[in-house]
Amino acid sequence: SDSLAGIVGIRYPGKEKQIILQRLNIEKTVAGTITFLVTSAVISATTFAVIGYDFPKIIGLTICISLTTTIIEFVSPYGTDNLTIPVFASSILAFCL
């Protein structure tokens, strides 16, 4: 998700959102953020379906993981999302499964 979001964000840099978090200036594109959300939802839903979860559980976990990881990716500065996203996604799975 992160790689594709980066590619789309560079290709379509139209609107950027900027946040300042503890003196760090974080710039993310709307297109990249939406791409991350959609891609993580597709990956999550496919994985849970292959594992064999029932449909309501697939939907619930997919929404929870996709939204959480997208928010974490949006506020994580300078590559720290490579650590924070797996930690949060693993925590959600450990709590929900």
Side-chain angles (χ1 to χ4, degrees):
S1 297
D2 197 23
S3 300
L4 188 57
I7 291 168
V8 170
I10 290 169
R11 177 71 176 100
Y12 302 102
K15 293 186 179 185
E16 288 188 1
K17 295 295 180 187
Q18 191 174 39
I19 26 178
I20 298 174
L21 185 67
Q22 294 182 356
R23 294 182 283 158
L24 296 174
N25 190 8
I26 303 169
E27 293 181 8
K28 304 285 182 165
T29 64
V30 173
T33 301
I34 291 170
T35 301
F36 187 94
L37 177 66
V38 170
T39 307
S40 63
V42 168
I43 292 169
S44 296
T46 303
T47 302
F48 296 137
V50 168
I51 291 172
Y53 290 134
D54 58 343
F55 187 72
K57 192 168 199 169
I58 291 171
I59 297 300
L61 285 172
T62 297
I63 290 170
C64 188
I65 286 179
S66 298
L67 289 176
T68 302
T69 56
T70 300
I71 292 167
I72 296 302
E73 194 274 336
F74 189 78
V75 299
S76 295
Y78 306 114
T80 58
D81 59 341
N82 295 327
L83 175 65
T84 56
I85 289 173
V87 168
F88 276 91
S90 299
S91 299
I92 291 169
L93 289 173
F95 180 73
C96 294
L97 298 179

